Every structure is written in C-alpha cells, then in structure tokens.
Amino acid sequence: MAGARDRKRAGRQKRKRRSAETVSPRMGEQVAAPGDANGDASRQETFQERMARRYEERNAEARAKLVPLERGERPRAVTVGAVVSTLLAIAISVQGVLALAGVSTGDATTRPAPLFLFAVVLWAMAIGMWRARYWAVLGFQTVLLLMMLASAFGLVVVNSVLQAIGTTLLLLGSGTLFYFMVRAMARIQMPSPPDEI
C-alpha cells in the first residue's frame, strides 16, 4: 500500500518537473521541450491561462479608470457608511445604557457588555470612514455582509407582510451600499497624491 502511494507521489513530482521545464513562467509563451532541438514541441495556451490573462487585462483597465482621492476627499458611499455606522452606534449605545440601568427592552434580559463592545467597534468604524481609512471601510463591509445574510435568512421565517417588506428593504439597502463601497475601497487603496504627507 505504501509502495503504491510512493510511486504515485514520484509520478506526480516527475510530471510537475517536466511541465516546469517545458512551460515558461509567463502565460501564453511557447517554449520547446528540453530534448527537442527544433523547438517544434510548443504548447498552446490553456483555457485557464486565457481566462486568467483576460481577467488581468480587465482588472488593469478598471484600475486605469480609477482616480486617486484628492487631499481631504471622501467618496460618497463612504460618507453614507459613516453616517449609517454612527446611527447604529448611537442606537446600540442607548440600548447598552438601558440594559445597564436594568430597563427591560424585551422578554429576555440583555447584557450590556457585548452591546458596549459592539458600539465601540461601530464608533471606531464611523470615525475611520469619516477619515477615509481602508480598514474602517473593510470592517463596515463585513457588518453589511452580516446584515445581508441575516436579512436573507430572515426572509425565510417572516410572519407578516410588514416584516417581509422591512427585511427586504434592509437586504436591498445593505446590498446597494456594499456594492458602491467596493469601488470606494479601490480608490482609497490607490497611492496618495504627491503633496500628501
């Protein structure tokens, strides 16, 4: 059993060495096999290599169209995200204070520590997005993704038409903001203008 496994492993390693010797590291370039003097043993570009090249060309075109942020500029989607994060942070902070004071907001008792922790994270993301920081936008996109998943699963168990409408609006709103923040993240990640310190 071990001998068969060793033979398979040796065969895989031999094929890898052979393909590394015949194929150039750059995609699409044709290279002759080591034993061929005429160079007729050229290799055609595979489907995966063609697709990878096309995707890289599209990515390069999209990057060329992006405009770096000016000094003090903040994309509109990031501003909307900062406002939404601030509103969520205020709501959760108020709920945490009510839980700390012992005011019951529902059937179950709410612990204030997790609420305050989440509120601190939301405040940090709001301040970071207001200053157009990449980490804050990425963190808020994670929150939006969790909101989209929760609302998508919530649509399965809705009890009323009003609840279905609210859940659908939450799903559409968080999905739209997530979509527009992707391009904003790409602009934030671009190199700063030369006069930026």
Side-chain angles (χ1 to χ4, degrees):
M1 191 71 160
R5 218 177 310 149
D6 290 340
R7 280 194 300 276
K8 285 182 182 178
R9 186 179 300 133
R12 278 195 305 264
Q13 289 172 350
K14 186 176 179 182
R15 284 192 299 274
K16 284 182 183 178
R17 277 195 304 272
R18 213 177 309 138
S19 67
E21 291 170 354
T22 59
V23 179
S24 172
R26 288 195 320 218
M27 285 187 268
E29 189 174 344
Q30 298 174 347
V31 177
D36 191 2
N38 297 330
D40 293 333
S42 59
R43 187 179 129 327
Q44 292 294 326
E45 190 177 35
T46 65
F47 175 75
Q48 284 99 358
E49 290 170 341
R50 277 196 312 273
M51 293 305 292
R53 183 175 44 79
R54 286 181 189 162
Y55 281 128
E56 186 53 43
E57 288 170 1
R58 287 181 193 163
N59 288 342
E61 288 174 14
R63 280 192 293 267
K65 291 178 185 175
L66 288 174
V67 179
L69 293 176
E70 296 293 327
R71 189 172 202 162
E73 184 186 2
R74 183 177 50 256
R76 185 175 295 144
V78 175
T79 304
V80 171
V83 170
V84 170
S85 183
T86 302
L87 293 175
L88 286 173
I90 290 170
I92 291 176
S93 298
V94 168
Q95 190 176 1
V97 169
L98 291 175
L100 192 62
V103 177
S104 178
T105 56
D107 296 335
T109 57
T110 307
R111 296 185 307 174
L115 292 173
F116 284 128
L117 180 64
F118 190 50
V120 166
V121 170
L122 285 172
W123 281 114
M125 282 191 291
I127 293 168
M129 281 191 288
W130 196 256
R131 298 178 69 195
R133 297 294 186 255
Y134 183 80
W135 60 265
V137 178
L138 187 63
F140 191 68
Q141 278 197 306
T142 305
V143 172
L144 288 174
L145 183 62
L146 292 174
M147 287 172 70
M148 287 189 296
L149 289 172
S151 53
F153 287 129
L155 280 174
V156 177
V157 293
V158 291
N159 297 326
S160 65
V161 175
L162 190 62
Q163 190 179 8
I165 291 171
T167 307
T168 304
L169 289 175
L170 179 64
L171 177 61
L172 292 175
S174 56
T176 303
L177 187 55
F178 184 91
Y179 174 78
F180 284 111
M181 287 184 96
V182 171
R183 188 176 177 91
M185 281 177 61
R187 287 188 68 201
I188 290 171
Q189 203 176 19
M190 290 184 75
S192 300
D195 59 343
E196 188 81 33
I197 297 175

